[in-house]
Amino acid sequence: MKILLPMMFIGTLMNAQVSNIVRNPDSYKNFPYEGTRIIQVDEANSPDNEDNVFIFSKIEKGAKPDKMTFQRFTKVGGDWKVVAKKQINYDGIISAWGQRKAFADYDKDKSIDALFIYALNDYNLKQQSVHLIFSKKDKLYEISTSAESGYTKDVYSNNFKTLPESIKSEILEYWNKLDKE
């Protein structure tokens, strides 16, 4: 048993299809992101297949309205290219939930599937809504809910229904377990 457990652990690592790398945002100061400052950055790679950097950046502190940009960069031919982007403008404060994210390869196509959470808050920091961004290759899919509905009514992007059922169920499982208040 003492030998079997470590061997199982090593086998699991060797079969991992997603690697996530965490670096200090200052490591990306010369990266071609929009905005003036990085709020959140993640590297998630499919070993021997795909390298990705996901960046949430914002404009200068205190700017009104607030503006945050989400960008998915994928290395193509040795260069980083923006393959998906979303800009969020809000007359309040936008906050990325840095600890609420997931990386996987749900459909085993050797491309990273990633999801992130952010919230919109009024200027008194009272949360108004919660949003999920799901990034698959060059597409973004979204779910949101608001304080106005008591976080009970979900709104989906038009393209959400085009996702395969297996992927939708993974996203919805994550979303439904998320404490949105």
Side-chain angles (χ1 to χ4, degrees), residues 42 65 75 90 112 120 124 128 134 146 163 181:
D42 293 280
K75 194 174 265 188
Y90 185 65
I112 300 299
L120 302 179
N124 294 322
Q128 300 300 308
F134 178 70
S146 67
L163 284 167
E181 294 184 52

Side-chain angles (χ1 to χ4, degrees), residues 162-179:
T162 66
L163 284 167
E165 285 302 319
S166 60
I167 294 176
K168 277 196 275 193
S169 68
E170 293 284 349
I171 297 168
L172 290 172
E173 181 180 348
Y174 185 95
W175 179 250
N176 291 330
K177 289 180 180 176
L178 182 68
D179 180 6

Side-chain angles (χ1 to χ4, degrees), residues 92-149:
I93 300 166
I94 307 166
S95 60
W97 290 10
Q99 299 304 313
R100 302 289 183 256
K101 56 190 163 193
F103 304 97
D105 182 8
Y106 294 123
D107 57 2
K108 309 297 183 234
D109 66 353
K110 297 187 180 183
S111 179
I112 300 299
D113 302 326
L115 65 85
F116 303 91
I117 305 295
Y118 71 92
L120 302 179
N121 308 284
D122 64 21
Y123 287 117
N124 294 322
L125 298 178
K126 184 175 180 197
Q127 184 176 285
Q128 300 300 308
S129 60
V130 176
H131 305 258
L132 177 147
I133 296 176
F134 178 70
S135 176
K136 177 158 193 55
K137 295 184 180 178
D138 64 344
K139 303 280 189 265
L140 299 177
Y141 305 84
E142 300 178 58
I143 306 173
S144 64
T145 189
S146 67
E148 184 178 40
S149 76

Side-chain angles (χ1 to χ4, degrees), residues 11-28:
T12 302
L13 284 177
M14 290 175 65
N15 289 323
Q17 295 184 7
V18 175
S19 68
N20 180 233
I21 301 164
V22 178
R23 298 190 209 285
N24 185 310
D26 289 342
S27 306
Y28 295 90

Side-chain angles (χ1 to χ4, degrees), residues 18-21 28 31 33 38-46 50-57 69-74 80 83-84 101-104 111-116 133-140:
V18 175
S19 68
N20 180 233
I21 301 164
Y28 295 90
F31 212 78
Y33 66 91
I38 292 177
I39 300 300
Q40 177 180 325
V41 62
D42 293 280
E43 280 187 43
N45 305 315
S46 176
E50 181 183 73
D51 295 331
N52 298 283
V53 174
F54 301 90
I55 295 180
F56 281 94
S57 62
T69 304
F70 169 77
Q71 294 173 281
R72 177 182 182 149
F73 294 87
T74 300
W80 290 103
V83 296
K101 56 190 163 193
F103 304 97
S111 179
I112 300 299
D113 302 326
L115 65 85
F116 303 91
I133 296 176
F134 178 70
S135 176
K136 177 158 193 55
K137 295 184 180 178
D138 64 344
K139 303 280 189 265
L140 299 177

